[in-house]
Amino acid sequence: MTGPLLSLEPRPALPDRFAVLADVHGNSDALRAVLADLRLVLPASAALLVLGDHFSGPLDAAGTAELLLPLDCHALRGNHDRYLLEGPASALGPSDRVAHAALDAAAFRWLAGLPEGLDFGDVQAWHATPRADDRYWTHGVDDDGQVQLRAPQDMAEEARGTTAPLLICAHTHLPGLWALSTGQMLLNPGSVGCPAYNDTAPVPHVVAAGHPLASYALVERRAEGWQVSHRHVPYDSTAMAARARAEGREDWARAVTLGHL
């Protein structure tokens, strides 16, 4: 892939155990369930990474901000966060417009201060790829709109120029762990709040986790290598589905209820 790497903000090394969340998309109830689960499985000293697309969706952007802004976490900016900042509101997509109207000045200041990427030395993280916040890293879309796993050499090419043994991305909402031919590992924690969605680029397609649970990942640095556990947390999605339907978004209601469209 051509083009420069997105800017990486250096941070101190992570502790040996940390959690990775991404793509909350305004689903405050899913985020609340994940944070409760984290309190059960990780010590207070563990770090938390939150990889963007925090608020955009016809759900509860304001409630999500109330949970996220006070957190002691390492957060970065996703493509939908960038859309919210670029505005104007009249030019935003329907999900972004709902979030834009719901957020206060403090939430926009928080978004404006987020970096494009994070560099912890042996861990580097972006929302999507090292060069773009809106491109799939691990999957591609064919001409018929089918979402397929990319070839290993293509995933490795996306990693060109990166230096960490563990690379972390989000954006597709599909959890997974891949060993690259570069010797690096690539992790996607899945989506906390939006297990299914449709998009129009490069052609119309649907991405679906196939279940409605809130997904995230636990990571542990061990002498023999990285240990990764994907967690899928059940929660009551009734309120979020009702909010989506109130905005005329049956697709989002089905996504949070069923995990597919």
Side-chain angles (χ1 to χ4, degrees):
M1 292 294 171
T2 59
L5 294 173
L6 297 174
S7 61
L8 281 167
E9 183 170 287
R11 297 282 174 92
L14 291 165
D16 286 342
R17 299 180 71 188
F18 58 92
V20 186
L21 282 60
D23 294 293
V24 178
H25 280 283
N27 190 332
S28 59
D29 285 348
L31 177 59
R32 192 173 290 107
V34 165
L35 294 177
D37 191 67
L38 277 171
R39 288 192 288 271
L40 298 176
V41 297
L42 281 184
S45 60
L48 175 62
L49 279 60
V50 189
L51 304 188
D53 282 8
H54 307 289
F55 304 125
S56 288
L59 303 175
D60 183 23
T64 299
E66 289 178 2
L67 293 170
L68 270 181
L69 269 60
L71 280 182
D72 181 11
C73 69
H74 300 282
L76 56 75
R77 188 171 70 232
N79 60 308
H80 281 278
D81 306 318
R82 175 169 56 84
Y83 303 158
L84 291 175
L85 291 168
E86 290 174 346
S90 59
L92 295 174
S95 295
D96 297 312
R97 283 200 300 270
V98 174
H100 194 281
L103 295 173
D104 62 13
F108 281 101
R109 286 194 299 270
W110 184 79
L111 284 177
L114 297 181
E116 295 178 310
L118 293 167
D119 186 353
F120 302 95
D122 62 352
V123 177
Q124 292 173 322
W126 302 264
H127 176 68
T129 79
R131 291 174 176 80
D133 65 9
D134 58 357
R135 186 167 66 226
Y136 296 163
W137 190 337
T138 57
H139 291 73
V141 183
D142 65 23
D143 293 340
D144 296 324
Q146 298 300 307
V147 178
Q148 307 284 351
L149 196 64
R150 294 180 70 185
Q153 62 268 26
D154 293 334
M155 283 195 232
E157 177 62 19
E158 288 278 9
R160 184 169 52 83
T162 66
T163 58
L166 178 63
L167 308 174
I168 309 179
C169 68
H171 190 54
T172 64
H173 301 199
L174 298 174
L177 182 67
W178 297 269
L180 303 182
S181 60
T182 58
Q184 298 161 295
M185 300 295 291
L186 175 61
L187 166 66
N188 188 320
S191 173
V192 169
C194 181
Y197 64 91
N198 54 42
D199 203 350
T200 58
V203 298
H205 63 278
V206 172
V207 179
H211 64 76
L213 308 185
S215 297
Y216 76 101
L218 299 174
V219 182
E220 183 173 355
R221 185 190 293 105
R222 304 181 67 170
E224 59 271 29
W226 298 101
Q227 177 174 300
V228 175
S229 302
H230 289 276
R231 291 184 70 83
H232 308 290
V233 184
Y235 71 100
D236 184 352
S237 62
T238 304
M240 294 296 105
R243 283 177 173 266
R245 291 192 175 100
E247 296 291 343
R249 298 300 300 273
E250 181 61 31
D251 55 339
W252 277 76
R254 287 179 58 83
V256 299
T257 303
L258 303 173
H260 56 80
L261 301 182

